[in-house]
Amino acid sequence: MTVVVEAAPPVPASASQFTGTRRLVRLALRRDRIQLSVWVISIVLFMLLVVASVTGLYSTPEELRNIAVSSAVSPVALATNGIVSGDSQGAIVASQSVLVFALVAALMSTLAVVRHTRQNEETGRAEMIGAAVVGRRALLTSALIVTVGANVVLTLGIALGSIAVGLPVVGSLALGASIGGTGIAFAGVAAVTAQITDGARTANGLAGAAIGVAFMLRAIGDVNSTVVDDGTRVVSGWLSWLSPIGWAQQIRPFDDDAWWILLLLIGFAVVHVMVAFVLISHRDQGAGLVQPRPGPPTAASWLPSAWGLAWRMQRMTMFWWIFAVVILGFAYGAVGNEIDAMVGSSQ
């Protein structure tokens, strides 16, 4: 019996490292149509809740000024909420929201990029996709396009929502851009971490660590700040300028509206994406630049059990969650000592 094997279709002469990006974008949108929608809609809705909370709690100029002055001199408020940029209603909304939602946008972006790059390689989907005519950089490019698009939609959603509840147009656009720009910046970080390791969990962990370092740099810089303008404006320390999250705050929505700082966030993302493209060409598909350590020749006696396997798989995740909860507990404990003074000053 004669077996006829058809040859694989020839690679088009015009094929490049980005060939197939459009189809991969459609595939990523298909996979994430619900997940990214939930992220974006949730952030916008919670932002509107912050606006409603500020307008309900601080309805007079005196109350707005009191909360601005109290926050400007509180190290805990500066570390957990960020800088103060005036005593207008919009400025108070920004001081209460930019930091938190910038962190959430950064997390959304890192998870999305890793999910469509390193996770695809880890599960074998990338190898199956690579059997077609797909460029080496197409998978990463499609992930970045989808993630950047989600952040653009997030920016517009926050801006339109803020405008709808009566906040100034320019400040609302700056508010959305500061949060969406942070998400775009950390999408670039995730593009790099996805090339370093051979596991999605580790790539997410490295990206999360980068977010944590950025947060700490900003917190230290904000705590070591200077209060100006009769106590209603904070000038951050120099360490805040080493953090993309700090840059997002320095846009100062509803005050300076410093649009040029948005270029720092975009430039930060572009540099990291360029580095990621270079790293792709220096590794094999499915492998990371850093090779995993070889395991011991024999397994521990507890490992073959269900509990042992669960502990082995989840121990680092549990450690970091416990660490984060402990740090959060210390932060809220410190805030508790200042709540009475801040509430009293706003009455």
Side-chain angles (χ1 to χ4, degrees):
M1 182 176 64
T2 303
V3 178
V4 178
V5 179
E6 294 184 1
V11 178
S14 59
S16 71
Q17 295 195 61
F18 300 97
T19 299
T21 299
R22 182 184 302 177
R23 291 187 176 182
L24 290 177
V25 167
R26 293 173 59 187
L27 176 62
L29 289 173
R30 172 72 177 174
R31 287 183 59 197
D32 272 7
R33 66 188 186 280
I34 296 177
Q35 191 165 355
L36 283 179
S37 297
V38 170
W39 274 100
V40 172
I41 293 172
S42 298
I43 294 173
V44 173
L45 290 179
F46 276 106
M47 172 61 73
L48 295 179
L49 288 177
V50 171
V51 176
S53 175
V54 169
T55 56
L57 290 173
Y58 315 110
S59 56
T60 66
E62 291 76 15
E63 291 174 339
L64 290 169
R65 177 175 174 78
N66 287 337
I67 189 61
V69 172
S70 299
S71 299
V73 297
S74 168
V76 175
L78 291 171
T80 56
N81 289 339
I83 59 175
V84 181
S85 301
D87 57 358
S88 68
Q89 195 172 72
I92 299 301
V93 168
S95 69
Q96 299 290 323
S97 61
V98 168
L99 174 60
V100 174
F101 293 116
L103 288 171
V104 176
L107 183 62
M108 175 189 74
S109 297
T110 56
L111 291 175
V113 171
V114 172
R115 182 166 57 253
H116 292 292
T117 54
R118 175 52 60 185
Q119 188 183 86
N120 277 347
E121 295 189 40
E122 189 176 20
T123 58
R125 283 192 293 264
E127 185 176 3
M128 182 176 62
I129 292 171
V133 182
V134 176
R136 188 74 172 89
R137 299 177 178 178
L139 197 64
L140 175 58
T141 304
S142 64
L144 290 170
I145 290 174
V146 170
T147 305
V148 170
N151 281 283
V152 171
V153 173
L154 175 62
T155 297
L156 295 176
I158 291 174
L160 293 175
S162 301
I163 293 170
V165 296
L167 294 179
V169 174
V170 176
S172 298
L173 291 171
L175 178 64
S178 64
I179 296 170
T182 306
I184 293 173
F186 280 98
V189 173
V192 174
T193 63
Q195 314 309 317
I196 295 175
T197 70
D198 64 348
R201 181 177 300 179
T202 308
N204 279 324
L206 290 175
I211 295 174
V213 170
F215 177 86
M216 292 304 299
L217 287 173
R218 179 220 54 85
I220 296 172
D222 287 352
V223 169
N224 293 280
S225 58
T226 304
V227 181
V228 297
D229 291 351
D230 298 328
T232 61
R233 182 182 173 90
V234 171
V235 178
S236 301
W238 64 273
L239 278 176
S240 292
W241 287 94
L242 301 180
S243 165
I245 298 175
W247 299 342
Q249 290 188 138
Q250 299 303 327
I251 293 177
R252 297 182 184 268
F254 306 103
D255 184 45
D256 287 346
D257 297 323
W259 291 100
W260 66 270
I261 297 179
L262 186 61
L263 298 177
L264 293 178
L265 293 168
I266 296 175
F268 181 87
V270 169
V271 169
H272 280 77
V273 169
M274 293 175 64
V275 171
F277 281 152
V278 172
L279 296 180
I280 286 179
S281 61
H282 288 80
R283 68 175 182 86
D284 294 329
Q285 183 167 316
L289 289 175
V290 178
Q291 297 299 318
R293 295 179 302 173
T298 58
S301 59
W302 51 267
L303 185 58
S305 67
W307 288 103
L309 179 61
W311 168 252
R312 178 67 178 82
M313 296 294 293
Q314 303 296 331
R315 59 183 179 179
M316 291 307 298
T317 302
M318 292 174 61
F319 169 78
W320 286 112
W321 272 109
I322 293 172
F323 177 78
V325 170
V326 170
I327 295 299
L328 188 63
F330 277 116
Y332 276 109
V335 170
N337 296 327
E338 300 187 11
I339 287 180
D340 289 340
M342 295 181 68
V343 172
S345 65
S346 65
Q347 293 178 347

